Amino acid sequence: MRRLYLILAILALASCGKQGEHFVIGVSQCSEDAWRGKLKSELEMANFFHDGIELRFVSAHDDSQLQEKQVDSLVAQGIDLLIISPNQQTQLLPSIERAFDSGIPVILFDRKIASEKYTSFMGVDNFEIGKLLGQYAGENLAKGSKLIEIKGLEDSSPANERHNGFISAIRSYPQIQIVGEAHGDWTRESGYKAMESILSAYDGPVDCIMGGNDRMAEGALEALRRHRPDARPMVLGVDALPGKGEGIQLVRDSILTASAIYPTHGDELLDLAVSILNSRSCLKEYIMPTSLVTSGNARILLLQNEELERSNKSIRQAKKQIENIRIAMNNQQMLLLSVVAILLISLISIIIIAREYRKNKRLSQILAEQKEIAEAQRDELELERDRLIEAQLANRESNEVNEILSGREEIFRAENEFMQRFKNVLKDNLSNEEFGVEQIGAELGYSRVQLYRKVKAMTGKSPVEFIRSTRLAYAKLMLSDSSLSVSEVAYRVGFSSPSYFSKCFKEEFGSLPSNN
Ligand code: FRU
């Protein structure tokens, strides 16, 4: 039985297959928008090529307090690594430090915090982005141009760095005048509102809008056009996403003048996370490249992106198919293992049953032999008792003979009656193996000695011998008359051991019962 459990355990283990390490990566997104959506799908796609990595996404919808709670909750869930774009620095700093202090590697993505408590940062140099756009404005704006800057969310690192980079470049072009600046919160609506509030205090011309991102720039332009329908300012932004209605298309359609690419590179981000999880060394900073999208390259970039989308679609389809095949294979494997397990269990059961059967057979053989011995011994004992009676009676024999001789006819009648009763009683109890001299004596109202004397006188046999002969005579009758087997006949005439029956039968009739 123990062997059976062992086999089943091995089968169960085998059915689990080889399980590699399993890691959970928490991805804390600050916002929910096209840029974050692109990052998410890149991460998911890249994860097709990694086994045992679970990505757990949460989004704070631009709410720093909510993001703080979400980070704490991810840590409590026991994630193995945290990827986070902190909405704002001050609010998020403590929870990120808490996560890092609890031993969880932290990758800051795209946005930073003013702390060293993180494992690695991956993103674009936002100062560089601001500078690039500042230089573009400086080189392309006419002398005396008026510029309005809509900055990103206050206290978020890209907003500050882009602004600083932009100002550092614009300073080299003193002919450009910044006539207004305000913060948005990265959304289109916030760009609109920021422009509205600037225009409420400024009614001069606007030659350039510098947006902290494309969405805010577009919103600000809309607000400007509402007040000055003829305005045709230079509009600069950041992100240059490839999707419909996004940055590159806006540049192609001349709504934006230029946009700095703010890449997502989710595949590189996941590779970095996986190598940290595998304890490989990593740099403190990974800076992704950027470049300007202008009317000169917007079209070609869109075409390239369409190609990319097509191959991404094929990859997704292939992944789905692989997933289906894997599910089918797992099912088949389970089925196969179940069949093997059932076969093994059946085989082992058959072996156990066969063994038990053999054991039982041997036991019943031993039992039959013991029965035979017991039966023979019992008969022998009875005969011994009869012999004893015979000896006791020997000296009283002559008196008995005289008794028999006088009034012989009555005695004969009585004896005939006695014999008839004797035979009837025996016949009624023929199959009862327990029914012997004592019982017949009790039935007929004779003591053992009386019975002995009577039977011996009438048959020349002791009662035991006579009983056995009578049983055997019935047996002979049954054997010649019916289709009963030897064992059945033996039981019917009161033998419990068929082999002992055969032995007695041979002694009585000179041939085995099977020959009758
Ligand atoms: C997306 C976004 C981008 C911007 C970046 C700054 O959520 O607002 O538009 O460039 O975040 O972190």
Side-chain angles (χ1 to χ4, degrees):
M1 215 52 188
R2 221 180 300 151
R3 223 177 308 157
L4 173 65
Y5 287 136
L6 189 72
I7 291 165
L8 290 178
I10 292 169
L11 276 175
L13 276 179
S15 68
C16 296
K18 190 177 172 279
Q19 298 285 314
E21 252 183 307
H22 178 82
F23 291 117
V24 180
I25 298 178
V27 184
S28 169
Q29 300 251 55
C30 51
S31 322
E32 200 68 44
D33 51 50
W35 193 88
R36 302 287 157 193
K38 183 168 179 276
L39 171 66
K40 185 172 184 237
S41 69
E42 284 170 1
L43 282 169
E44 284 171 338
M45 176 103 93
N47 203 23
F48 293 169
F49 305 100
H50 293 283
D51 262 349
I53 301 280
E54 178 192 334
L55 295 171
R56 212 169 278 173
F57 290 94
V58 286
S59 171
H61 299 273
D62 305 303
D63 180 342
S64 301
Q65 277 182 2
L66 175 61
Q67 191 171 24
E68 192 184 9
K69 284 191 193 123
Q70 288 175 335
V71 171
D72 288 338
S73 147
L74 282 173
V75 172
Q77 287 165 33
I79 54 166
D80 299 295
L81 184 140
L82 174 68
I83 294 175
I84 179 165
S85 294
N87 194 42
Q88 287 169 304
Q89 306 196 51
T90 318
Q91 180 83 34
L92 267 305
L93 186 136
S95 57
I96 292 174
E97 288 193 334
R98 274 199 294 278
F100 185 77
D101 286 340
S102 74
I104 296 172
V106 175
I107 299 177
L108 298 178
F109 188 68
D110 124 70
R111 300 187 192 181
K112 294 176 180 165
I113 50 163
S115 165
E116 279 305 301
K117 290 192 172 180
Y118 63 90
T119 314
S120 193
F121 165 79
M122 184 177 266
V124 186
D125 183 343
N126 280 299
F127 186 89
E128 193 53 37
I129 283 182
K131 207 168 128 192
L132 211 61
L133 289 166
Q135 279 164 356
Y136 183 88
E139 281 162 19
N140 293 288
L141 284 172
K143 226 175 181 190
S145 293
K146 313 286 184 227
L147 185 149
I148 285 177
E149 186 189 0
I150 311 292
K151 299 179 280 186
L153 180 68
E154 234 174 333
D155 196 31
S156 78
S157 64
N160 297 342
E161 290 170 4
R162 285 174 195 175
H163 168 72
N164 293 340
F166 186 72
I167 297 299
S168 80
I170 280 292
R171 260 192 226 114
S172 316
Y173 302 94
Q175 76 277 14
I176 298 168
Q177 197 192 343
I178 299 178
V179 292
E181 61 173 63
H183 276 287
D185 61 7
W186 305 115
T187 61
R188 194 178 196 280
E189 302 70 48
S190 72
Y192 187 98
K193 274 193 204 146
M195 179 59 90
E196 284 270 303
S197 80
I198 291 168
L199 294 182
S200 66
Y202 171 76
D203 62 357
V206 178
D207 303 303
C208 176
I209 297 171
M210 159 61 188
N213 66 0
D214 295 341
R215 286 179 291 158
M216 289 193 300
E218 204 192 357
L221 176 66
E222 197 190 331
L224 177 69
R225 289 254 174 85
R226 200 172 79 87
H227 292 274
R228 322 223 171 122
D230 298 332
R232 292 282 175 272
M234 169 191 280
V235 185
L236 306 175
V238 183
D239 283 345
L241 284 173
K244 198 160 176 257
E246 299 293 342
I248 305 181
Q249 260 190 21
L250 294 177
V251 173
R252 182 199 64 188
D253 300 342
S254 304
I255 295 164
L256 297 184
T257 315
S259 176
I261 296 175
Y262 196 54
T264 39
H265 290 200
D267 53 337
E268 282 178 29
L269 178 57
L270 189 66
D271 282 347
L272 173 61
V274 170
S275 74
I276 292 173
L277 285 170
N278 289 309
S279 314
R280 278 182 232 124
S281 65
C282 67
L283 300 177
K284 194 77 182 172
E285 251 189 16
Y286 291 90
I287 302 300
M288 297 185 277
T290 183
S291 188
L292 282 190
V293 176
T294 60
S295 56
N297 58 9
R299 243 167 249 283
I300 192 145
L301 284 173
L302 282 174
L303 279 176
Q304 279 176 346
N305 191 66
E306 273 171 29
E307 285 303 312
L308 202 73
E309 257 314 301
R310 252 196 293 281
S311 52
N312 281 351
K313 207 172 149 195
S314 314
I315 293 176
R316 264 184 234 117
Q317 275 169 351
K319 160 80 179 166
K320 215 183 246 170
Q321 274 170 359
I322 291 171
E323 215 31 69
N324 289 343
I325 292 171
R326 191 183 288 183
I327 290 170
M329 271 175 65
N330 280 350
N331 289 345
Q332 280 171 1
Q333 198 184 8
M334 278 309 294
L335 196 75
L336 192 76
L337 282 169
S338 316
V339 170
V340 172
I342 289 168
L343 282 179
L344 265 175
I345 292 170
S346 317
L347 190 76
I348 290 165
S349 311
I350 288 170
I351 292 172
I352 292 171
I353 291 168
R355 266 199 205 160
E356 286 302 310
Y357 174 75
R358 271 208 303 269
K359 221 199 284 176
N360 281 349
K361 212 172 147 192
R362 260 210 353 260
L363 276 178
S364 47
Q365 257 169 16
I366 293 171
L367 211 70
E369 281 164 17
Q370 281 175 352
K371 255 187 182 175
E372 181 183 340
I373 294 167
E375 215 166 353
Q377 279 174 348
R378 190 198 61 196
D379 280 2
E380 194 44 51
L381 217 68
E382 296 284 8
L383 283 171
E384 197 50 49
R385 287 176 77 179
D386 284 352
R387 276 198 285 274
L388 217 68
I389 292 169
E390 194 175 4
Q392 283 171 1
L393 293 178
N395 54 349
R396 287 156 41 195
E397 209 163 65
S398 55
N399 296 344
E400 299 288 332
V401 172
N402 289 342
E403 250 177 64
I404 292 166
L405 288 176
S406 65
R408 196 175 175 95
E409 267 176 35
E410 272 157 56
I411 288 168
F412 273 156
R413 211 176 319 116
E415 277 171 354
N416 274 342
E417 259 172 47
F418 168 80
M419 271 329 271
Q420 207 44 55
R421 280 177 65 210
F422 187 101
K423 282 177 190 167
N424 285 344
V425 169
L426 183 57
K427 198 177 170 193
D428 289 347
N429 294 281
L430 198 59
S431 63
N432 182 356
E433 62 195 66
E434 302 291 334
F435 201 78
V437 181
E438 300 289 348
Q439 288 76 5
I440 287 195
E443 284 277 331
L444 298 177
Y446 286 88
S447 72
R448 191 172 177 118
V449 176
Q450 286 172 323
L451 197 70
Y452 179 87
R453 280 168 56 195
K454 236 177 166 44
V455 174
K456 183 80 180 181
M458 288 171 69
T459 64
K461 289 180 176 177
S462 75
V464 175
E465 289 168 338
F466 185 65
I467 290 172
R468 191 161 62 200
S469 296
T470 311
R471 286 187 191 281
L472 289 168
Y474 274 116
K476 196 164 173 34
L477 211 63
M478 284 180 197
L479 281 168
S480 59
D481 254 20
S482 71
S483 54
L484 294 173
S485 72
V486 171
S487 320
E488 278 166 334
V489 169
Y491 298 135
R492 282 182 187 215
V493 297
F495 282 81
S496 61
S497 160
S499 55
Y500 181 64
F501 164 72
S502 295
K503 202 173 140 220
C504 296
F505 192 94
K506 176 130 195 254
E507 272 169 27
E508 185 80 11
F509 302 113
S511 69
L512 283 169
S514 48
N515 298 334
N516 279 259

